[in-house]
Structures are given as C-alpha cells and as structure tokens.
Amino acid sequence: MKRKQRVTKPVVAVTMGDPAGVGPEVVLQAVMDRAVRKSCLPLVIGDIGVLLRAGKGRKNLPRLDSWQPGRPIAGNGRAVPVYSLSSLSPGEARPGRPSKACGQAVYRYIKAAAELVLSGEADAMATAPISKHVLRLAGHIYPGHTELLAELGRAGECRMMLVGGALKVVLVTIHLPLTEVAGELTRRRVKVTVELTHRALRDYFDIPHPRIAVAGLNPHAGEEGIFGGEEKRTILPAVLSARKQGIRVSGPFPADSLFYQVARGDYDAVVCMYHDQGLIPFKLLHFFGGVTLTLGLPFIRTSVDHGTAYDIAGKNKADASSMKEAVCLAATLARRLKKTG
C-alpha cells in the first residue's frame, strides 16, 4: 500500500506494551537509542502520561510530542511523536500491578498500531511486552499478541519466528499445555510452518535458497516409533510434501543435537514442534537482544522476546536491548520490502 507522505526513513509504530510492566521503560530507552533513530522514525503508540512518569529522573529524555493520524511525522531533532490513546492515572498504571484499565489500554495500542500499518501511515510495527492476563481482565480473550494481530490483519495462518544472531526458530504450536501438543500436530500445520519459514527467510532475510531443519517431537525423534509415532505419522510426511514444492527442508531430527548444528550454520532456521523446545535453546544464546517476528501477517510486526517483568517494573532495571533490536529489525525489513517492491 502506498504511503501518504514521502519520508526517507521507514515509520515504525512502537506500542508501549502493558503500562504496568517494563514496556514504558524499554520503549523510552529504545526511541532514545542512536541506532534506532538512525534506522527509522519511531512513532510511539501508548500513554504520554505513563511515559513521562516512566522517564522521570532519566537523563537525556527526548521531548514527547502528541501526534494524531494524518499529521506528518517529523524526522528531525530529538522529539518523539506519541499517539496517546489513554490517560491512565498513577493508580491505574502502577508499576508491577496489572489492572483491567491497563488491559483495555493495551488492546487499543495494538489495534491502533495495526491500523496505522494497514493504512500506510506506518511501514511496520514493533511491540513491547504485554500480559495475556491483563487482556483477559479487560474482556479480550487472546492467548497473546500473535492471535490478536492475526484477527486484526485477517490473516489465515500465522507463526512466531524468534530471530537472533546464531538462531532463527519457528514454532508449529505456541501457547499450549505440553499435554495437548501431540494432539494439535497435523501434517498441514507442520507443512504450513515450513512454508512460512521458507518465505520469510527468502523475502525478509534475502536468502535465495533457505535451508530449513525440522525437529522431532519425541526423544531421539521417536527412534523408529519406539518413543512415539508422531515423527513417522505426521512430521515426516509434511517434510516430504514441502520438499516436493522445492523447499530445502530436512528432518525430523532429534532436538537434543539439532540446535548445535543450526547454531554453527548448517541450517538457516529450525522448525520446532512446541514452545519450550524452541525457546529454551534460543534464550540460552539470545537472552538479551532476541526478537520475535510474526510470520503470515499482511504487515511487518516484530516484538521483544521477553515478558512484562512486573517484578522490576518502574525500577529502571529493565534491559532494552530486545526492544531496540525489535525496532531496528522492523525498520530493516520495511526498507528491504520497499526495495523489492
């Protein structure tokens, strides 16, 4: 979709996340960062009052300017535009104390950011952490960002890719109890994950012929059915079907040795069957600075790879490296897609 104004840098809509979590702090740190300001024009979607309270006592705090849709986004100076959609009191947005008011505000921030990208006023969005609990307190029943954004973007199948310097991990299932994972695995679900991974590596990361590894579900990838039949019954047929489409995909492999091979560069990404199978090795290598990228949406969305950290919210202890990387990656992908048309 064509933009309404000509700018030299992509506009990244940055949602503030849960006002009671570390989101306001890491967002402020990110938009103050030199690399972020060099890569894009950040547009914060949140609550200007909460941001000012979060920045109290900080040095070199940027000027926060109120912004409304349709207005130009300035690319000069230290001012940061803020699309302020709530006016939460200190009691409603108390650090470390999630509330129904925070949940309603969170939903508005995400919805507005998605609308800005879909309308062309922003080129991508990057999201600070939210809690599923606060969304539910406000009556919005979603397992997380991904499912909410899939609804807003009217997307069919979406997947979560974790992006780091040594690993790219994509999950077949996300927020499910471990006891339900095997029952949710289907040939189609695995194959779609491989297809989305292939497309993302090719279009977003400029890898013409991506190499994808697929992890098994069971110990030793089932070991010929001794430890489970999902590999033979579900995962392998999906891999073979994807391979017929010209996708360079291999597996299923035992997960205990696979991540070493991926990290040393034998593959460009690994498809994992469930949340912790992929996130434990990823966070071991990329606890700080990892980024989540949602695949399958009609727009670019990145996010931090950590939670709201209520225990340290408001204490200026939060590490903003993941938020900075999320904004920079969103800007990089937006520029890349513009070049390729």
Side-chain angles (χ1 to χ4, degrees), residues 14-18 22-24 26-27 126-130 145 301-304 306 323:
V14 183
T15 62
M16 194 181 75
D18 188 340
V22 296
V26 297
V27 165
T127 57
I130 65 167
H145 264 121
R301 179 261 175 164
T302 62
S303 183
V304 296
H306 59 77
M323 190 77 248

Side-chain angles (χ1 to χ4, degrees), residues 12 124-128 291-294 300-304 323 325-331 333:
V12 177
M125 65 182 287
T127 57
V291 176
T292 298
L293 171 64
T294 306
I300 297 165
R301 179 261 175 164
T302 62
S303 183
V304 296
M323 190 77 248
E325 292 294 333
V327 179
C328 287
L329 179 59
L333 299 183

Side-chain angles (χ1 to χ4, degrees), residues 166-225:
L167 277 181
K168 291 182 180 68
V169 171
V170 184
L171 307 178
V172 177
T173 65
I174 306 178
H175 299 113
L176 282 177
L178 196 55
T179 53
E180 297 178 15
V181 170
E184 290 296 320
L185 290 180
T186 64
R187 294 181 184 183
R188 183 182 180 280
R189 201 165 187 171
V190 175
K191 184 183 176 185
V192 167
T193 308
V194 171
E195 291 170 339
L196 289 171
T197 304
H198 172 80
R199 197 175 308 147
L201 292 170
R202 184 193 63 199
D203 297 346
Y204 284 159
F205 296 97
D206 202 23
I207 303 173
H209 305 289
R211 302 160 302 162
I212 301 169
V214 177
L217 172 68
N218 298 296
H220 306 288
E223 197 159 318
E224 298 299 321

